[in-house]
Amino acid sequence: MKILKTLVLLLTLVSTAAYALLEVTIIKSEENAFPIVIAPFEVIDDAEQGAEIADIIRDNLNRSGQFNALSSKGVITNKIDFSYWKARKKDAIVFGKIEKVSSKVFNVYIYVYDIYTKKRLYGKKIAVHNSGIRRISHYLSDKIYNVLLGQKGSFDTRLTYVTMTNDENMGRVYQLEIADADGHNAQTVVKSSYPILSPAWSPDQKKIAYVSFKNGRSEVFIKYPFMRVKSIKLPRFDGIASAPSWHPNGQGLVLTISREGNKDLYFYQLESKKLIRLTKDSAIDTEANFSPDGKSIAFTSNRSGQVQIYIKDLTNGKIKRATFEGTYNAKPVFSPDGKALALVHRVGKDYRVALLDIKTRDLTVLTQNKLDESPYFSPNGGMIIFATNRDNKGVLSVISLHNNQIVELAQKGAEVREPNWSNYSK
Amino acid sequence: MTKKIILLTSVIFLSSCAGTSIQDLGDKFLDLINPSDPAVEVEDLSDSVLMLDDESGSFSGEDLAESGVDSSEQSRTQTATEVAVETLEDAGVSFVLYFSYDDTEIDEEATQVIIDHANFMRNNPGISLKLEGHADERGTREYNLALGENRALSVKEVLGLYGLENRVEVVSFGEEQPIAFTHDEDSWQKNRRVEFIYQ
């Protein structure tokens, strides 16, 4: 009987491990998109992975909203027909070849040419292990993006998020998962019958801070997903502990701790294990986020009587209000250049992701949804990922700030929420 | 014991999904790339085996079977607390208070309910109370966690007027434990609540 039960549980694990995030493009916009063509890779010696590389690169570039990347059918071996592509109004062409070196190792050659000048913009040869195909494709996508647009891409990065399933046998099960930025390679890091929220990648991608209710109340933990190291529990007083956010140097976090009913922001230093109090207001102060230079924090507070966003300058201790439009503004996150905040803004009865220019105070609402939550920037600042509902199911949505193109990431049979985007893999 | 086996099994399963032994991947990959090759820009692509923390209580079902506890066979005697609480329930006292949107205020009707509970606690000196605060799903999760706590604290404040604060624990679940799911005011109203849980 016990063996049967173990088998059943194993099978359940099998099926959950197989679920990846499924990508669906909802609103595609070709405005302002760089038209390029990606030719299938020439395959030498039975290296079918070539097709995969070209597909991943194409999908990545399209997802950014800045490219209109089409696949072409013909394999390019030596000569490029520039006039052919010029006539079809393509600006650049990407092609390459893949050759098998051994059973699990391949050489990948990739080239990018400008169709108008006929100049080679990029050329590289890389040795790859079989299991590194996806990673190489993301790495190359970032290179191509950079060579064509002069900016960093966000493809060789990872997401973390929370899923929730609810069925008759298991009840509610929450999973803290990580995945590649395109939704592939989803893996479970923490699995629990109790709610999990606010996962946050450390700047070096070696740790994830998150909130768990496994001990009957909200507590903040730091987990090392890839090391056999015990999780760390952060200190708390007599109430909630939540909303962890990393300092850009990775040496500490700001979090919300409730003491005698008062919810304030505290900084926790990892090495010394010291707690430093950052706000002293009797109002709710929560959802803090460090600026990229580590010198300020933006946070949500109801100290004015409404839910609004404030920024505390940590160098002089001054706190200034940042949002002045509307009666509910919350969950601020800094853009990588430190000039803007993504946040949740209430319009009438709807909660929508918006962008605030910190200096000018201009607020731009980015969606027309009803229940947006948890926005976070891609590391190059070109996209914002957030949680929303689609047909009453929780999904993640990625919006490109260049042309408002939206891509949704969903998981079969589960609610997906609380997304966080890693830094660049080093 | 069973939990450990399952944890191990799941770890093995996840690693086998990668299609290769993760342990030796790192060394092989680094050997192949010649350090002088300008193409060497990508770091070791291997990730170690994912250390899965499995805390899901779903396995407690198995644990129960193991320990031989079968509630349908044994008759469990009720504790004194449970008997007393049942009496309070039978008297028609509500164990849930509801709140207006984004609000933590206690109205007259709610105050009366709290007073009933205060009297109950005074009459049962051994009993302690856990107040669970909740919020509806609108707005951000962390702010709702704080809001849920403030709702429970408002109730505790009233109980404090009767000197009972030392016997009252406050826990907030924010929007994480809704009891109604239709994404409209009908459900939201039911989710904005504080629950009285005696222990």
Side-chain angles (χ1 to χ4, degrees), chain A residues 5 125 135 139 158 172 189 191 193 197-198 217 223 225 240 242-243 258 263 287 328 351 373 392, chain B residues 39 41 45 47 50-51 53 55-57 62 101 140-143 149-150 169-170 176-177 183:
Chain A
K5 278 192 180 169
K125 169 192 168 188
R135 178 87 197 271
Y139 169 83
R158 280 193 287 208
R172 282 202 195 132
V189 173
K191 190 173 176 187
S193 306
L197 349 166
S198 306
R217 57 190 318 119
K223 161 92 178 153
I240 66 179
S242 66
S258 178
K263 288 151 271 291
E287 298 174 338
Y328 186 108
Y351 294 81
E373 275 180 0
N392 282 338
Chain B
E41 284 169 297
L45 292 180
D47 283 334
L50 213 64
M51 299 289 121
D53 277 346
E55 303 146 5
S56 50
E62 249 217 358
Y101 180 64
T140 58
R141 267 175 216 276
E142 293 281 0
Y143 182 79
E149 187 176 86
N150 278 355
E169 186 193 349
V170 160
E176 307 305 316
Q177 308 266 28
H183 304 293

Side-chain angles (χ1 to χ4, degrees), chain B residues 112-124 158-159 162 164 167 196 198:
Chain B
Q112 189 50 57
V113 172
I114 301 173
I115 291 173
D116 287 342
H117 281 274
N119 286 329
F120 173 76
M121 286 182 77
R122 278 153 124 209
N123 293 334
N124 293 275
V158 178
L159 290 169
Y162 295 83
L164 296 164
R167 295 165 58 188
F196 289 75
Y198 286 101

Side-chain angles (χ1 to χ4, degrees), chain A residues 202-203 207-210 219-224 230-237 241-257 264-279 288 290 297 314:
Chain A
S202 63
K207 312 181 266 290
I208 299 177
Y210 65 98
E219 293 174 322
V220 178
F221 293 86
I222 295 175
K223 161 92 178 153
Y224 289 76
K230 230 180 158 199
S231 292
I232 300 169
K233 187 166 101 170
L234 268 58
R236 61 169 177 86
F237 298 112
S242 66
S245 170
W246 292 88
H247 188 289
N249 68 11
Q251 289 167 18
L253 308 97
V254 59
L255 65 152
T256 301
I257 309 185
D264 280 312
L265 305 176
Y266 291 77
F267 181 72
Y268 178 72
Q269 226 163 45
L270 280 183
E271 200 172 319
S272 68
K273 303 195 182 155
K274 264 168 107 183
L275 259 189
I276 301 164
R277 192 170 183 180
L278 296 179
T279 63
F290 267 102
I297 45 172
L314 296 172

Side-chain angles (χ1 to χ4, degrees), chain B residues 42-60:
Chain B
V42 183
E43 208 207 43
D44 178 4
L45 292 180
S46 68
D47 283 334
S48 330
V49 174
L50 213 64
M51 299 289 121
L52 169 67
D53 277 346
D54 199 327
E55 303 146 5
S56 50
S58 50
F59 296 114
S60 64

